[in-house]
Amino acid sequence: MDNWDQLQGECLQCRNCALADTRTHVVFGDGARDAEILFIGEGPGQQEDLQGLPFVGPAGQLLSDMLEIIGLDRSKYYITNIVKCRPPGNRDPLNVEQAACIGFLRQQTALLQPKIIVCLGRIAAMEIIKPDFKITREHGIWFTRGGVHMTAFYHPSVLLRDPSKRPEAFEDLKSLQKKIRALCSHTAI
Ligand code: URA
């Protein structure tokens, strides 16, 4: 068993917070375990909880369609969430739930060693980039931490609710494409 399988096994057994009581499945993550690009969402929704896979509901479909535009499919990135179990009713994950779960994401990041991290939405950006991250003002801006280039996109569920934000999201997508071409030698797009 490799380190990824061991970590996934631990995560699937986790009962570190109360979300374990209401989940159907733990949603560990999906995609290439040697990818150069890591996408981080907030937490599983209803479809993700039912299927055990991240971003497979309506927001996930929109995200996949957007990423396909720049030639990215799940063989070219890894995708996971800040919390691995669904917050009931899709509420924001509580600080205590994020704190209980963040170790899994840290270990996933250590195993993957991505060159680029894209936070999907405000919650992930506040946890990963900086606590006072303002998604409306700072989406699409690039930050560097320990040699890793990171940015945040609008969460795709926001783009479903408010299509007027899609042109800005498209600019962010083009900026990601440029960054990948500049930094990622194993990701042909
Ligand atoms: N929204 C998220 O933040 N993550 C998912 O996996 C699905 C929807």
Side-chain angles (χ1 to χ4, degrees):
M1 192 165 31
D2 71 9
N3 291 334
W4 272 104
D5 288 340
Q6 193 176 334
L7 182 63
Q8 181 164 9
E10 277 171 37
C11 189
L12 298 188
Q13 301 290 320
C14 177
R15 304 204 62 85
N16 289 346
C17 82
L19 296 181
D21 299 335
T22 49
R23 73 185 177 217
T24 310
H25 289 106
V26 174
V27 180
F28 178 68
D30 190 31
R33 291 174 169 187
D34 60 354
E36 294 174 297
I37 308 146
L38 171 61
F39 287 88
I40 303 173
E42 175 177 324
Q46 184 182 34
Q47 279 306 312
E48 290 77 19
D49 175 64
L50 290 173
Q51 297 183 43
L53 288 168
F55 284 96
V56 289
Q61 190 53 57
L62 175 60
L63 177 68
S64 301
D65 291 348
M66 288 171 58
L67 296 180
E68 291 277 350
I69 293 173
I70 60 164
L72 283 180
D73 60 48
R74 283 196 187 184
S75 70
K76 295 182 178 159
Y77 59 85
Y78 193 81
I79 186 162
T80 186
N81 285 298
I82 298 284
V83 297
K84 311 305 196 207
C85 297
R86 183 191 184 202
N90 295 349
R91 64 161 170 74
D92 289 350
L94 304 175
N95 286 341
V96 67
E97 293 159 352
Q98 294 186 45
C101 211
I102 197 70
F104 290 115
L105 179 62
R106 295 210 189 292
Q107 291 184 74
Q108 287 173 306
T109 309
L111 288 171
L112 195 65
Q113 299 203 281
K115 295 207 167 72
I116 291 175
I117 294 179
V118 180
C119 298
L120 298 167
R122 177 182 64 90
I123 299 274
M126 288 170 67
E127 181 70 45
I128 303 300
I129 301 177
K130 53 179 183 156
D132 62 346
F133 195 92
K134 296 280 179 292
I135 193 78
T136 310
R137 262 207 322 261
E138 296 179 291
H139 69 90
I141 294 177
W142 288 91
F143 299 78
T144 312
R145 293 279 157 67
V148 182
H149 296 255
M150 34 185 92
T151 191
F153 284 3
Y154 281 121
H155 194 285
S157 64
V158 169
L159 302 176
L160 284 177
R161 278 200 305 273
D162 181 1
S164 75
K165 290 193 164 64
R166 290 191 191 189
E168 288 173 81
F170 190 64
E171 291 306 312
D172 294 348
L173 207 53
K174 286 198 292 188
S175 145
L176 173 62
Q177 183 179 44
K178 226 167 120 184
K179 218 37 155 196
I180 293 171
R181 287 182 172 156
L183 296 175
C184 298
S185 47
H186 301 129
T187 309
I189 60 166

Coordinates of all heavy atoms in Angstrom, one line a residue, residues 27 40-45 48 53-57 59-60 80-81 120 155-157, ligand 1:
V27 N -15.5 12.1 1.1 CA -15.1 12.5 -0.2 C -13.6 12.9 -0.1 O -13.2 14.0 0.2 CB -15.9 13.6 -0.8 CG1 -15.4 14.0 -2.2 CG2 -17.4 13.2 -0.8
I40 N -8.9 23.1 -4.9 CA -9.4 22.9 -3.5 C -10.7 23.6 -3.4 O -10.8 24.9 -3.5 CB -8.4 23.4 -2.5 CG1 -7.0 22.8 -2.6 CG2 -9.0 23.2 -1.1 CD1 -6.0 23.3 -1.7
G41 N -11.8 22.9 -3.2 CA -13.1 23.4 -2.9 C -13.4 23.5 -1.4 O -12.5 23.4 -0.6
E42 N -14.7 23.7 -1.1 CA -15.0 24.0 0.2 C -15.4 22.7 1.0 O -14.8 22.3 2.0 CB -16.2 24.9 0.1 CG -16.9 25.3 1.3 CD -18.0 26.3 0.9 OE1 -17.8 27.2 0.0 OE2 -19.1 26.3 1.5
G43 N -16.4 22.0 0.4 CA -16.8 20.7 1.1 C -17.8 20.0 0.2 O -18.4 20.7 -0.7
P44 N -18.0 18.7 0.3 CA -18.9 18.0 -0.6 C -20.3 18.5 -0.5 O -20.8 18.9 0.6 CB -18.8 16.6 0.0 CG -17.6 16.5 0.8 CD -17.4 17.9 1.3
G45 N -21.0 18.5 -1.6 CA -22.5 18.8 -1.6 C -23.2 17.5 -1.6 O -22.7 16.4 -1.3
E48 N -22.0 14.8 -4.2 CA -20.6 14.3 -3.8 C -20.7 13.4 -2.6 O -20.0 12.3 -2.6 CB -19.7 15.5 -3.4 CG -19.4 16.4 -4.6 CD -20.5 17.4 -5.1 OE1 -21.4 17.6 -4.3 OE2 -20.4 17.8 -6.3
L53 N -17.3 11.3 -4.5 CA -16.4 12.0 -5.4 C -16.6 13.5 -5.4 O -17.8 13.9 -5.3 CB -16.5 11.5 -6.8 CG -16.0 10.0 -7.1 CD1 -16.5 9.6 -8.5 CD2 -14.5 10.0 -7.0
P54 N -15.5 14.3 -5.5 CA -15.7 15.7 -5.4 C -16.2 16.3 -6.7 O -15.9 15.8 -7.8 CB -14.2 16.2 -5.2 CG -13.4 15.2 -5.8 CD -14.1 13.9 -5.6
F55 N -16.9 17.4 -6.6 CA -17.4 18.2 -7.8 C -18.0 17.3 -8.9 O -17.6 17.3 -10.0 CB -16.2 19.0 -8.3 CG -15.9 20.2 -7.4 CD1 -14.9 20.1 -6.5 CD2 -16.6 21.3 -7.5 CE1 -14.7 21.2 -5.6 CE2 -16.4 22.4 -6.7 CZ -15.4 22.3 -5.7
V56 N -19.0 16.5 -8.5 CA -19.8 15.7 -9.5 C -21.2 16.2 -9.6 O -22.0 15.6 -10.4 CB -19.7 14.2 -9.2 CG1 -18.3 13.6 -9.4 CG2 -20.2 13.9 -7.7
G57 N -21.6 17.2 -8.8 CA -23.0 17.7 -9.0 C -23.0 18.9 -10.0 O -22.1 19.0 -10.8
A59 N -22.5 22.1 -9.8 CA -21.4 23.1 -9.8 C -20.1 22.4 -10.4 O -19.4 23.0 -11.1 CB -21.1 23.5 -8.4
G60 N -20.0 21.1 -10.1 CA -18.9 20.3 -10.6 C -18.9 20.2 -12.1 O -17.9 20.3 -12.7
T80 N -9.9 18.3 -4.6 CA -10.4 17.9 -3.3 C -11.0 19.1 -2.6 O -11.3 20.1 -3.2 CB -9.3 17.2 -2.4 OG1 -9.8 16.7 -1.2 CG2 -8.2 18.2 -2.1
N81 N -11.3 18.9 -1.3 CA -12.0 20.0 -0.6 C -11.3 20.2 0.8 O -10.6 19.4 1.3 CB -13.5 19.6 -0.3 CG -14.3 19.6 -1.5 OD1 -14.5 20.7 -2.1 ND2 -14.9 18.5 -2.0
L120 N -11.2 27.2 -4.9 CA -12.5 27.4 -5.5 C -13.4 28.1 -4.4 O -13.9 27.4 -3.5 CB -13.0 26.1 -6.0 CG -12.2 25.5 -7.1 CD1 -12.6 24.0 -7.4 CD2 -12.2 26.3 -8.4
H155 N -16.3 30.4 -6.8 CA -16.8 29.0 -6.7 C -17.8 28.8 -7.8 O -18.6 29.7 -8.1 CB -17.5 28.8 -5.3 CG -17.7 27.4 -5.0 ND1 -18.7 26.7 -5.6 CD2 -17.1 26.5 -4.2 CE1 -18.7 25.4 -5.2 NE2 -17.7 25.3 -4.3
P156 N -17.8 27.6 -8.5 CA -18.7 27.4 -9.6 C -20.2 27.5 -9.2 O -21.0 27.9 -10.1 CB -18.3 26.0 -10.1 CG -17.5 25.4 -9.1 CD -16.8 26.5 -8.3
S157 N -20.5 27.3 -7.9 CA -21.9 27.4 -7.6 C -22.3 28.9 -7.6 O -23.5 29.2 -7.9 CB -22.2 26.8 -6.2 OG -21.5 27.5 -5.2
Ligands
URA1 N1 -18.7 22.3 -3.8 C1 -17.5 22.1 -3.3 O1 -16.9 23.1 -2.7 N2 -17.0 20.9 -3.3 C2 -17.6 19.9 -3.9 O2 -17.0 18.8 -4.0 C3 -18.8 20.1 -4.5 C4 -19.4 21.3 -4.5

